[in-house]
Amino acid sequence: MPEWLKRVKPVAPIHPIFVHFTIALTSFSVICDFAGLYFQSESLYNTGWWALATSAIITLFTIASGFISRTRIAMEEGTALAFLRTHMALGPIFYGLLLIMTVWRASFWQAKSGLSGWYLLFAAVVLLVMLIQGYLGGELVYRFGAEVKRIYPALPINQDDQYGNFP
Amino acid sequence: MATFLNLHAVQWIAVIIIFFMLFLLADALAGHYRTGFKLHIQYMPFAAGGVLILFLIGSVFLPLNKRITTLLKFTSWVTILAGFAGFIFHHYYGMIKKPGGYSWFLHHLMYGAPPLAPLGLSAAGLFSVVTAYAMQQETKFLGYEFSQVIFFLVGLCMSGIILQTAILHFRGAFNNPVMYIPFTFPLLTAIMLFIADFISHAWLDMVLKGLLWLTFLSGFVGLGMHLRGFDRQRAGLYVTLFNILQGPPLFAPALYSILASIALVAIYMM
């Protein structure tokens, strides 16, 4: 490996990047569905489906990058770790709900039929779970400084930590 | 058979079995790596499962190609046999050869090689065989409708997974109430699937669909809780490899979702 490449350390966490795709696409899909219903617009209706389908795919990367982020934080026991554990447990649950929502939405799209009230209610529940998950993630970064450089320095057991900031 | 997003039911089942195999092999890798791959036979699931995945991918893209489906059938039978061989090996090395043998039955059952895990390989093989027959335009399998066969197999496999979960969650002392979830919806689903093989009613279909979706979701609850389980050990996932090897099997709960989705494909599309 060339020397210049060794110096490049991919330290920037990518989880926050993917997270915003998941949040934006999922909520945009529901907004489009409601707007499509109100304005009776087929174009908004199709946008709702494609936004959700993209979210279902990209959220896989959100979960994977979240897992990677967790492996980089030497967080001690306490409130922050309790938040982190809840965030970790809720992530796959949200994804399960998102997959169910996507399959349900796909069935409407394929049948070219209107959305049911039950679907919109379910979508609202999924958005609520996403809101809670986003809140937990936000607290982890902005209150507890998770993955903020130099907040949680590497421990002796993992000196080749990607931050490379072990004292 | 109906299509969903341009794929037929059998293609969807093949796609789901690919994920089934990948999750199974990931957990097998963790378990076998933990023991240091002391025996060459420990590579068997990866060889059999790997080849099966290749033919499953081929059959998704070319479901009407007779050569691929015939090879898929053959590989599936090999995988079924590999699973049974693994079952015997797990029993022999995880129970009989262990100090104390059968007199330490419960201990070895919980701390030895997971006794029923290799049968997951056989399960994937069985689903693949059925899929291969359906791809060859057969209308029935051993005289039964394909949906009936799928219901029976999913019910059978789910019962096995619930049994293995019971052993491991008992070892974990059911330290969290969520650990009882596999004995709620999935157990009811398994029973209902057996019933649905003999009785067909609109209300039964509705209840079964509801239970299957709940079982599908319960797999994701399990994934989340297993992740949390790794993190409850010392240093959590910061000491990634050690805690993944010592913690609960990462992808095992996903098998509930996988099995539920196979049955859902059968109920909606076959």
Side-chain angles (χ1 to χ4, degrees), chain B residues 238-252:
Chain B
Y238 184 67
V239 184
T240 317
L241 185 61
F242 179 83
N243 278 331
I244 283 183
L245 293 180
Q246 295 304 318
L250 178 55
F251 294 111

Side-chain angles (χ1 to χ4, degrees), chain B residues 83-187:
Chain B
F84 279 111
F87 173 70
I88 293 165
F89 278 109
H90 272 219
H91 186 71
Y92 182 71
Y93 288 102
M95 177 76 71
I96 298 172
K97 281 261 285 185
K98 289 272 178 186
Y102 284 118
S103 54
W104 279 54
F105 182 75
L106 189 60
H107 177 86
H108 295 323
L109 203 61
M110 292 189 294
Y111 292 96
L116 300 176
L119 291 179
L121 209 60
S122 304
L126 277 170
F127 285 116
S128 303
V129 167
V130 176
T131 309
Y133 273 97
M135 281 173 176
Q136 289 185 342
Q137 310 289 310
E138 304 271 350
T139 48
K140 290 192 171 185
F141 184 81
L142 300 174
Y144 293 96
E145 296 287 335
F146 278 106
S147 57
Q148 277 183 301
V149 178
I150 296 277
F151 284 173
F152 176 76
L153 286 179
V154 171
L156 189 72
C157 296
M158 206 169 278
S159 311
I161 294 178
I162 291 168
L163 196 61
Q164 181 63 59
T165 309
I167 295 166
L168 293 177
H169 282 195
F170 178 71
R171 184 180 77 178
F174 287 95
N175 69 75
N176 191 309
V178 179
M179 290 169 87
Y180 288 102
I181 285 183
F183 314 104
T184 55
F185 313 120
L187 187 60

